[in-house]
């Protein structure tokens, strides 16, 4: 069946499916921030406890990304992606059943483990699906699914009748990606680079890829810039609804602010991707 499908169709299908995964990851990523005011009241959490609840998933993304990258070279990008989706989907559902604060932290850490493993696979598969001159826009369109999913989280939150229904956010954010897995198993192609490497039985050592003399300094620079960018991003995603509430805005108004933030993220992501295909990457990063 794969041989009868044109390269263009396979590329489009890969981007659509990766975009859908990004939507669900973005939904779950912002679900804690949107549900935070309701969870805070129910669990009786202070600001320090809320900070740890927000940070647990973020801390999980680091080992998730590292483990996902290592296993992807052994069992394939697709297998790691499917496993990661299953993990963060199940853990999102279990967030709604957390009965105490400690259990909530553990579940959110494991949620981050799945999200951390999925994101690098989505970026890799989206970039490999298109030609070299379209990689930037392909990845940016896929990545725009994350703020799009965050926007959907706010719409779902506004549709909930009462504060006690905050758990429904996690039901939707968990079951939706799980239901997507059968479609991914059938229609998502395996990474071309992985198939080529497996066929030729070639593999470059992990540390040589990242820390070879000609790219060592670039790797460190990218890590540092990415770290601080994510710190700011996750701070806004998680704390924005609470900060808006502290300024006297109602829940609906706070959700509209969150929606506006995510709309800006969608346009910004696509704009940066377009620029990446037209001018030097270093110039775009500085911009």
């Amino acid at each position: 069946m794969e041989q009868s499908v044109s390269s263009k169709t396979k590329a489009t299908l890969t981007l659509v499916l990766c975009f859908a995964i990004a939507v669900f990851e973005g939904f779950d990523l912002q679900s804690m921030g949107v549900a935070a005011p309701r969870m805070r009241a129910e669990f009786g959490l202070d600001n320090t406890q809320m900070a740890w609840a927000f940070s647990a998933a973020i801390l999980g993304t680091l080992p998730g990304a590292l483990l996902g990258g290592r296993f992807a070279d052994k069992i394939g990008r697709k297998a790691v992606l499917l496993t990661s989706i299953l993990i963060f989907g199940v853990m999102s559902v279990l967030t709604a059943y957390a009965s105490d604060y400690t259990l909530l932290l553990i579940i959110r850490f494991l949620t981050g483990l799945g999200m951390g493993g999925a994101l690098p696979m989505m970026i890799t598969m989206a970039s490999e699906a298109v030609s070299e001159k379209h990689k930037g826009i392909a990845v940016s369109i896929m990545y725009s699914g994350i703020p799009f999913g965050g926007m959907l989280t706010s719409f779902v939150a506004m549709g909930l009748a009462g504060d006690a229904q905050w758990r429904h956010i996690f039901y939707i954010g968990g079951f939706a990606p799980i239901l997507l897995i059968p479609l991914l198993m059938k229609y998502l192609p395996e990474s071309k680079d992985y198939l080529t490497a497996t066929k030729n039985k070639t593999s470059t050592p992990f540390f040589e890829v990242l820390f070879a003399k000609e790219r060592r300094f670039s790797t460190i620079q990218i890590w540092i810039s990415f770290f601080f960018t994510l710190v700011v991003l996750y701070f806004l995603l998680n704390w924005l609804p609470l900060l808006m509430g502290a300024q006297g805005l109602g829940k609906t108004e706070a959700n509209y602010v969150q929606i506006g933030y995510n709309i800006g993220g969608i346009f910004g992501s696509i704009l940066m991707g377009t620029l990446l295909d037209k001018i030097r990457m270093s110039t775009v990063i500085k911009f």
Side-chain angles (χ1 to χ4, degrees), residues 78-109:
K78 183 175 178 178
V80 171
L81 180 58
L82 294 176
T83 303
S84 299
I85 294 170
L86 180 62
I87 291 173
F88 82 71
V90 170
M91 291 303 146
S92 181
V93 174
L94 291 180
T95 301
Y97 292 96
S99 55
D100 59 68
Y101 178 64
T102 302
L103 184 59
L104 176 65
L105 292 182
I106 295 172
I107 290 173
R108 293 312 298 171
F109 177 83

Side-chain angles (χ1 to χ4, degrees), residues 122-136:
M122 291 188 291
I123 293 173
T124 299
M125 299 184 83
S127 65
E128 290 179 3
V130 298
S131 62
E132 189 70 32
K133 64 178 181 178
H134 294 132
K135 287 184 182 295

Side-chain angles (χ1 to χ4, degrees), residues 54-259:
F54 290 147
S55 300
I58 301 171
L59 293 173
T61 59
L62 176 59
L66 291 174
L67 290 172
R70 294 296 288 157
F71 280 107
D73 291 333
K74 298 180 181 298
I75 63 174
R77 275 66 158 167
K78 183 175 178 178
V80 171
L81 180 58
L82 294 176
T83 303
S84 299
I85 294 170
L86 180 62
I87 291 173
F88 82 71
V90 170
M91 291 303 146
S92 181
V93 174
L94 291 180
T95 301
Y97 292 96
S99 55
D100 59 68
Y101 178 64
T102 302
L103 184 59
L104 176 65
L105 292 182
I106 295 172
I107 290 173
R108 293 312 298 171
F109 177 83
L110 294 175
T111 305
L113 199 72
M115 290 192 294
L119 184 56
M121 300 305 107
M122 291 188 291
I123 293 173
T124 299
M125 299 184 83
S127 65
E128 290 179 3
V130 298
S131 62
E132 189 70 32
K133 64 178 181 178
H134 294 132
K135 287 184 182 295
I137 188 63
V139 172
S140 67
I141 290 174
M142 180 281 298
Y143 198 85
S144 69
I146 292 180
F148 187 85
M151 185 173 61
L152 292 180
T153 311
S154 298
F155 282 123
V156 170
M158 289 191 293
L160 298 180
D163 288 353
Q165 292 187 333
W166 63 266
R167 289 177 172 82
H168 289 72
I169 296 174
F170 295 101
Y171 294 147
I172 296 172
F175 283 121
I178 292 174
L179 293 175
L180 182 65
I181 290 177
L183 287 176
L184 296 171
M185 292 176 66
K186 184 173 182 179
Y187 295 110
L188 183 67
E190 178 57 273
S191 160
K192 291 185 292 185
D193 282 0
Y194 171 75
L195 292 175
T196 301
T198 302
K199 183 179 180 179
N200 298 332
K201 296 182 180 181
T202 58
S203 178
T204 305
F206 175 71
F207 283 99
E208 183 177 333
V209 172
L210 293 176
F211 297 106
K213 187 176 181 180
E214 65 273 11
R215 65 176 68 93
R216 188 177 306 155
F217 187 59
S218 297
T219 295
I220 295 173
Q221 285 182 309
I222 292 172
W223 280 10
I224 293 173
S225 62
F226 197 62
F227 172 80
F228 285 108
T229 300
L230 288 182
V231 167
V232 175
L233 175 63
Y234 287 128
F235 176 83
L236 287 172
L237 293 180
N238 290 319
W239 285 99
L240 194 58
L242 288 174
L243 292 175
M244 293 301 100
Q247 294 298 315
L249 298 182
K251 292 187 177 89
T252 301
E253 294 172 311
N255 279 313
Y256 279 128
V257 173
Q258 191 90 343
I259 289 170

